[in-house]
Amino acid sequence: MFGDKVLIDKDKKGNTRPWKEKKIDNLTYAEYLYLLQVYKATRVEKCGNILTFKETEKGLKLHQTWFCKSRLCPLCAWRYTMKNSYELSSILNLFYKRNPKSRFLFLTLTERNAPQGELKETLTEMNRSLYKLFKYKKVKKDLLGYVRSTEITVNRERKDYHQHVHVLLAVSSSYFKKGHYLSQNDWSILWQKARKLDYKPVVNIKIVSESEKDKSLVAGAKEVAKYQVKSSDYLTDDVEGDLEFLEELEKALFHKRQLSFGGEFKEIRKELKLEEREDDLVHIDGKEDEESSESVKQVVYIWNNSVKNYVNWVD
Ligand SMILES: [Zn+2]
């Protein structure tokens, strides 16, 4: 039966983890899927209903639950973001240790907004073009590794989508030599060619300075790892609009990866066995429970719809 304690789960910095808020959004999302008659709605509704934690000295540690793993599920998207950010930092750290002379670049590639009804196709083409871009000799010769993520923002007024790509690139120091270096304009020309556009796209390239490498890389990893689509873009007070955009986003993101890796980043990811744990949203820091199960107390919290919060469960 339900106890009298509501869930309070704090991170290392003392901030309360937003379980309750994410679960409330998850239920709105599930309701929308029912309205759209999307088959997985019943699964989504059950996402994260029962949370089992271990009570450790450092606070609660999630031990067991069931996540629906839907890209647009606010609960799962939140877990994916933390997981991606952790994964990327591990990859970048190891890469940097092995290639201390390498340099990092942040590249943002944009194009004109995709109209309603064309998002899926546009994203497929975009990924294909990106693959092509990295094969160009000018890019390839100094490229050591990359990770790309796709981000979509909804423009409600214009009823279209701003789809763009963030890439974190690692290049060898020869990139800065004469004849190797690519300016913002060069990148724009190359992207136009790869993407077969009849206009010059807006491209942004930022070089991570040597002195700020540590700080910027963490920030960059977070930027690349963040939400693919913010839930506030499709969960608003305007239900009719939400349903229209959500239907398009669901179709467009089906079977598409949020992150993809190339070069040495890809190899390190394999080496660290991160690929195998891709869908483990419970142990997001890659660590299985270290404490033996006997000595550590477990606590169970269950979603209680009447109080709209997680409440502890007592036998
Ligand atoms: Zn979920």
Side-chain angles (χ1 to χ4, degrees):
M1 57 172 215
F2 286 114
D4 52 7
K5 270 195 297 190
V6 294
L7 172 63
I8 298 168
D9 179 18
K10 291 194 171 171
D11 65 15
K12 273 183 222 151
K13 288 179 193 153
N15 300 315
T16 304
R17 293 199 172 99
W19 285 106
K20 173 185 154 164
E21 292 75 12
K22 299 294 176 191
K23 182 61 199 172
I24 288 173
D25 283 350
N26 154 274
L27 290 171
T28 310
Y29 171 60
E31 199 186 308
Y32 281 175
L33 294 179
Y34 275 117
L35 291 171
L36 291 169
Q37 296 183 315
V38 178
Y39 180 68
K40 66 178 175 187
T42 42
R43 293 199 314 129
V44 169
E45 195 183 12
K46 288 180 193 138
C47 182
N49 265 354
I50 305 169
L51 309 173
T52 307
F53 294 93
K54 287 197 169 176
E55 272 183 334
T56 74
E57 281 174 11
K58 290 176 227 152
L60 296 179
K61 187 167 187 337
L62 185 63
H63 173 57
Q64 229 171 32
T65 188
W66 182 83
F67 287 116
C68 73
K69 287 163 196 162
S70 206
R71 286 265 162 248
L72 295 169
C73 165
L75 203 51
C76 291
W78 167 57
R79 303 295 294 181
Y80 273 119
T81 304
M82 287 190 289
K83 188 189 168 77
N84 288 343
S85 168
Y86 171 81
E87 264 197 36
L88 272 179
S89 319
S90 332
I91 293 170
L92 292 176
N93 275 336
L94 189 55
F95 172 85
Y96 186 39
K97 236 181 242 168
R98 289 177 184 172
N99 304 274
K101 285 192 178 141
S102 61
R103 297 290 300 270
F104 295 90
L105 315 170
F106 290 125
L107 178 65
T108 307
L109 303 166
T110 75
E111 57 182 40
R112 282 185 192 150
N113 288 16
Q116 177 81 354
E118 289 176 27
L119 185 60
K120 187 186 171 77
E121 235 181 81
T122 309
L123 291 182
T124 307
E125 283 305 317
M126 222 177 172
N127 285 344
R128 213 173 277 159
S129 309
L130 195 71
Y131 192 68
K132 223 156 89 193
L133 177 74
F134 290 139
K135 291 259 184 258
Y136 288 155
K137 222 188 232 164
K138 279 183 184 171
V139 176
K140 204 179 154 190
K141 62 181 170 190
D142 299 308
L143 185 63
L144 300 172
Y146 69 85
V147 52
R148 76 106 186 103
S149 73
T150 314
E151 195 186 337
I152 303 156
T153 55
V154 175
N155 187 321
R156 294 184 90 91
E157 265 167 46
R158 288 177 30 176
K159 283 202 176 183
D160 61 14
Y161 304 85
H162 178 53
Q163 70 288 357
H164 52 285
V165 183
H166 296 285
V167 199
L168 177 56
L169 305 155
V171 292
S172 55
S173 52
S174 57
Y175 174 81
F176 294 93
K177 281 187 188 152
K178 219 178 157 197
H180 284 242
Y181 182 76
L182 299 171
S183 66
Q184 187 149 296
N185 190 45
D186 295 330
W187 280 107
S188 177
I189 292 167
L190 289 170
W191 179 233
Q192 181 179 5
K193 189 176 146 200
R195 187 68 184 90
K196 291 191 192 129
L197 302 169
D198 57 8
Y199 57 90
K200 218 163 147 212
V202 176
V203 162
N204 187 276
I205 182 93
K206 226 168 74 195
I207 300 158
V208 176
S209 74
E210 277 293 298
S211 58
E212 279 187 72
K213 209 169 205 165
D214 289 337
K215 212 171 76 195
S216 302
L217 275 184
V218 174
K222 284 203 171 129
E223 178 70 15
V224 173
K226 72 180 187 185
Y227 294 77
Q228 196 163 21
V229 195
K230 278 198 216 94
S231 58
S232 54
D233 274 17
Y234 53 89
L235 303 178
T236 70
D237 295 331
D238 165 28
V239 178
E240 208 179 307
D242 285 354
L243 290 175
E244 203 181 332
F245 297 121
L246 187 62
E247 193 169 27
E248 175 89 353
L249 288 166
E250 280 291 331
K251 261 190 244 158
L253 296 177
F254 187 67
H255 278 326
K256 284 215 179 61
R257 280 174 187 280
Q258 182 186 357
L259 297 183
S260 71
F261 298 84
E264 260 184 76
F265 288 5
K266 193 175 179 171
E267 282 159 31
I268 291 176
R269 189 165 182 259
K270 248 187 217 158
E271 193 183 320
L272 295 176
K273 298 196 178 3
L274 296 171
E275 257 179 353
E276 297 160 27
R277 288 201 295 258
E278 194 168 274
D279 280 323
D280 180 0
L281 294 181
V282 175
H283 308 99
I284 43 176
D285 58 359
K287 289 182 199 122
E288 301 291 325
D289 306 324
E290 300 136 349
E291 302 83 6
S292 74
S293 53
E294 284 144 47
S295 61
V296 180
K297 205 183 141 202
Q298 289 188 16
V299 279
V300 179
Y301 284 86
I302 297 184
W303 180 254
N304 184 325
N305 225 4
S306 54
V307 292
K308 295 266 177 284
N309 207 341
Y310 285 97
V311 180
N312 73 319
W313 187 255
V314 282
D315 289 324

